[in-house]
Amino acid sequence: MTTLKLRKIAIDTYKENVAYLHRDCPLYHTEGFQALNKIEIWDGDGRAPVIAVLNIVDDENIVAPDELGLCERTFRQFGVTEGESVSINHATPPASILAVHSKIAGNSLSADEYLNICKDIVANRYSKIEIAAFLVGTAESGLEREEILYLTQAMVATGETLDWEESLVVDKHCIGGIPGNRTTMIVTPIIAAHGMLMPKTSSRAITSPAGTADTMEVLANVDLPLDKLHSILRHQRAFIAWGGTAKLAPADDFFISVSRPLSLDSSSQMIASILSKKVAAGSTHLLIDIPIGPSAKVKSQSHALKLRKMFEYVGDRMGLEIDVVITDGKQPVGKGIGPVLEVRDVMQILQNDPEAPRDLREKSLQLAGRILEFDPDVRGGEGYKLACNILESGRALDKMQSIIKAQGENTEPALLGKLKHTVTALESGTVEAIDNLQMAKIARLAGSPMDKGAGVDLHKKIGDQVSQGDPLYTIYAEINADFNFAKDSSDKNNGYRIESSNQTSSQT
């Protein structure tokens, strides 16, 4: 059998195993390998093969005819050293692909079929094209509520699960789409100060200007090993960390890597994604925040109610007690959009600063109150008052400072971007609407969240009176190119609609 020498190729292929073969390699012709074929890669120790999508190259500087190149991800997964000899074969198509074809045809799938699909995906037997076929099939054909349950169960079963060894483990999740809205960093210390267990594994931004992990990272280390998180939890009753270190519902990471570029936004997939991660993270009680508004993910009350019923159905059968809250998503929550600006808002609220954004403070207290009522010792309707007491007494701030210290305080916090531009009102009137999507876009263009100090600082909210020339918001950026992109976008559409005394202006 012809063998090839391994070569590591410094390419980030994001959640996809990719191998590189030179066109002049004898195996390319004798074995009929083609670009985008899947291959099995075997070492000499008899271990299970690694499966990868094949790319064909013509440049010997990338890979020589007697070599097989592996992207960074595949090389780490294979666990061998560069230069070792390997052999390759055509990969057998995953058996579960027949179920994908059935779903595309509009049929319902069984629990076993979803489990087999998730097993094959996590084992890298699916290419991104095949994962896309599965996601499109589920989005177009739709999922019955039992199918959402089966998919959720399969996503949990094919990853690791955490056990915090307590009967009451709380969490919260917002379905997203609202810039700012950094309630988690206020709710978590309130809950922990009360003594309830809240291990908060949070995400980094994918398409938003900041995720909770991006914002918390301004204050503390969020990339922590599991044993460290256990230690913090024992002493502090909570942490706010990035959830990427634990392999929780890993199939979901594959799904996200494909659905985001395709702009697929399936409600069924979203429910399975959220609940599988929470169950795998060891949660027993979960608060779901569904904001509704014209530029939010959910635009109507009827859609929100439908989602609530589905969350409750699947959660109940997964042993998860769920409380769904429908909130106002007509505009960004808080003033800051971007990590440094959001940290400012959070700390102002925890410090009971009179300048703190009232909407973010009130929403955080409402959510914290609902979570506190998971505690059987807290009477229904008393949670909000208790949350206010914990915040106003300074106990929430003390707890947040303790969590920051336990996770490893960032002694050199990021600063606001040095470049700034203030967008002003084109005419006088009342702010009638703020476009969440456009404000998020401007903040992303400014460099958030990669540049922690980039983003948008809002000066006016819906209902505020403005005069021509009044500042609506300020854009902050660190890099000239990002600054110009954000400024140009705000010039074309500043995201505000102002109702003047004479006419309605879109302010674009």
Side-chain angles (χ1 to χ4, degrees), residues 1-4 27 40-44 68 78 85-89:
M1 178 182 291
T2 302
T3 60
L4 301 168
L27 290 175
E40 294 177 348
I41 308 164
W42 298 78
D43 66 5
L68 180 73
F78 206 18
S85 295
V86 297
S87 59
I88 60 175
N89 293 317

Side-chain angles (χ1 to χ4, degrees), residues 114-125:
Y114 280 110
L115 180 60
N116 290 332
I117 288 169
C118 287
K119 282 181 177 178
D120 282 339
I121 287 172
V122 171
N124 290 288
R125 297 190 183 99

Side-chain angles (χ1 to χ4, degrees), residues 123-407:
N124 290 288
R125 297 190 183 99
Y126 275 47
S127 67
K128 285 193 173 181
I129 294 172
E130 290 164 329
I131 294 173
F134 171 69
L135 293 175
V136 171
T138 57
E140 289 299 310
S141 300
L143 297 182
E144 301 293 336
R145 64 179 189 171
E146 290 79 11
E147 287 185 278
I148 301 175
L149 173 62
Y150 298 154
L151 177 58
T152 306
Q153 291 171 330
M155 290 165 69
V156 173
T158 49
E160 297 180 2
T161 56
L162 305 179
D163 183 359
W164 305 107
E165 299 180 345
E166 292 202 21
S167 59
L168 181 61
V169 181
V170 301
D171 203 347
K172 66 165 285 291
H173 187 89
C174 177
I175 68 168
I178 307 299
N181 200 31
R182 200 53 58 211
T183 57
T184 292
M185 292 174 64
I186 302 161
V187 170
T188 302
I190 291 175
I191 301 304
H194 177 65
M196 296 170 73
L197 203 69
M198 189 166 180
K200 193 71 188 87
T201 54
S202 301
S203 62
R204 295 187 185 275
I206 299 174
T207 58
S208 66
T212 296
D214 300 304
T215 303
M216 184 65 181
E217 197 170 37
V218 174
L219 300 172
N221 182 18
V222 298
D223 190 357
L224 298 164
L226 197 54
D227 58 347
K228 178 67 172 177
L229 294 179
H230 271 280
S231 176
I232 294 170
L233 199 65
R234 281 197 303 272
H235 293 92
Q236 303 302 332
R237 306 297 290 170
F239 56 71
I240 304 173
W242 177 53
T245 51
K247 297 178 181 178
L248 307 177
D252 186 50
D253 298 327
F254 288 91
F255 295 148
I256 289 172
S257 73
V258 173
S259 62
R260 294 298 187 189
L262 292 176
S263 297
L264 286 175
D265 191 16
S266 163
S267 295
S268 300
Q269 192 69 43
M270 177 188 68
I271 293 167
S273 170
I274 292 170
L275 296 186
S276 63
K277 289 286 191 184
K278 299 306 179 185
V279 171
S283 299
T284 62
H285 294 67
L286 175 64
L287 182 78
I288 297 285
D289 173 18
I290 303 180
I292 59 173
S295 56
K297 280 186 178 179
V298 177
K299 295 177 171 53
S300 69
Q301 184 80 5
S302 60
H303 186 195
L305 292 174
K306 183 178 179 182
L307 283 176
R308 183 172 72 181
K309 288 181 179 179
M310 202 61 68
F311 272 117
E312 291 170 345
Y313 172 82
V314 177
D316 180 63
R317 282 148 185 81
M318 297 292 293
L320 192 59
E321 185 170 330
I322 289 183
D323 183 12
V324 178
V325 181
I326 298 172
T327 59
D328 183 358
K330 293 194 293 290
Q331 63 180 331
V333 178
K335 298 176 182 177
I337 304 172
V340 169
L341 291 164
E342 292 173 11
V343 161
R344 178 206 62 195
D345 287 357
V346 166
M347 295 311 295
Q348 282 181 340
I349 291 169
L350 292 173
Q351 292 163 357
N352 292 297
D353 188 327
E355 297 298 316
R358 294 180 181 179
D359 58 345
L360 179 59
R361 181 183 189 276
E362 180 61 22
K363 181 172 183 179
S364 298
L365 288 170
Q366 292 285 351
L367 297 179
R370 297 289 282 263
I371 294 174
L372 288 170
E373 290 175 13
F374 284 139
D375 182 348
D377 293 331
V378 177
R379 289 186 301 173
E382 293 294 319
Y384 176 79
K385 183 179 178 180
L386 178 57
C388 289
N389 178 269
I390 293 171
L391 177 64
E392 292 167 2
S393 68
R395 292 165 57 201
L397 176 60
D398 291 343
K399 177 56 67 176
M400 184 60 155
Q401 290 172 334
S402 296
I403 292 171
I404 290 169
K405 184 177 180 181
Q407 291 186 203

